[in-house]
Amino acid sequence: MKKMMLAAAAVCAMASGAAMAQEAQSPWQVRVRAVHLDSANKDSTGLGLSINDKTIPEVDVSYFFTPNIAAELVLTYPQKHDLRSDGAKIGTLKHLPPSLLAQYHFTNMGAFKPYLGAGVNYTRFSNVNFAPAVEAALDPSIKKNSFGPALQIGFDYMLDKHWSINVDVKKVYIKTDVRSAGTKVGTFKVDPWLLGVGVGYRF
């Protein structure tokens, strides 16, 4: 009987320890990054359209379904850009580009935890303002919504069980139709590289 009680106690202790370890590893992680947006600026209108590159803040929330598989929602606030034609400023616009990615995390490299991601980006263009002379000559407009793929590679370097340093690179495909007096005259592809460095916290 004593042996059975000791065995039962050992099983309970191991189960309790496993439960505590599992409880300590939350599936939620947040990161804050400084991200440099480097636009491809591919334009088929013949106007030489481009937007300026800039560094923006980025926040992401990740949920780990397993130690290897996670989903990441990438967020920022609407970013204002100068819109140029052959280098000359012709207006301004804002874009809001959230992305949702599925990730695979490699977990057998100690504190170094690389990952790959792929998903979809949705971009909303807003506050599009053209210079008065451009408005009068071309009556321009752009399509306000863009859907496209997003690809990602990066790594977390764990400082302890909660805090990490993050390096992240994304390629996001963003485009909009350009119209003059309601007629499509071409497509402007932003298609930026997003190069990010930040910190993460695993709950």
Side-chain angles (χ1 to χ4, degrees):
M1 180 64 72
K2 286 183 179 180
K3 289 182 179 180
M4 290 178 63
M5 291 178 64
L6 287 170
V11 170
C12 288
M14 288 191 302
S16 175
M20 288 176 66
Q22 188 174 22
E23 191 176 319
Q25 188 71 8
S26 167
W28 293 100
Q29 183 177 31
V30 296
R31 300 185 188 90
V32 178
R33 302 185 184 107
V35 174
H36 182 70
L37 187 152
D38 184 7
S39 300
N41 290 328
K42 299 176 181 177
D43 175 36
S44 66
T45 67
L47 298 172
L49 297 177
S50 65
I51 63 170
N52 60 294
D53 298 337
K54 65 186 300 186
T55 299
I56 66 175
E58 184 181 277
V59 175
D60 77 70
V61 180
S62 297
Y63 184 86
F64 284 78
F65 299 97
T66 73
N68 300 104
I69 305 298
E72 179 183 80
L73 178 63
V74 182
L75 302 168
T76 187
Y77 60 87
Q79 298 296 321
K80 186 175 181 179
H81 292 268
D82 292 338
L83 181 62
R84 297 185 172 93
S85 174
D86 291 327
K89 182 177 174 180
I90 61 170
T92 60
L93 58 78
K94 290 184 178 181
H95 85 291
L96 180 65
S99 296
L100 181 62
L101 300 123
Q103 297 174 327
Y104 184 84
H105 290 254
F106 300 87
T107 57
N108 58 348
M109 300 183 186
F112 179 65
K113 299 187 181 298
Y115 57 85
L116 298 172
V120 63
N121 168 267
Y122 166 71
T123 293
R124 171 72 178 176
F125 294 99
S126 63
N127 296 90
V128 182
N129 296 299
F130 293 96
V134 176
E135 284 277 8
L138 299 175
D139 187 18
S141 63
I142 66 171
K143 185 178 178 181
K144 297 295 181 69
N145 301 299
S146 170
F147 290 90
L151 304 173
Q152 178 186 46
I153 185 170
F155 68 86
D156 293 307
Y157 186 84
M158 304 304 298
L159 302 175
D160 57 32
K161 67 178 182 179
H162 294 296
W163 291 98
S164 60
I165 295 172
N166 177 257
V167 175
D168 185 90
V169 179
K170 288 185 286 290
K171 178 66 174 180
V172 181
Y173 293 87
I174 301 171
K175 66 180 181 179
T176 183
D177 293 338
V178 181
R179 296 182 173 89
S180 177
T183 301
K184 181 178 174 179
V185 295
T187 300
F188 175 47
K189 296 182 179 180
V190 182
D191 292 353
W193 285 97
L194 300 172
L195 314 175
V197 177
V199 295
Y201 186 84
R202 182 77 178 263
F203 292 92

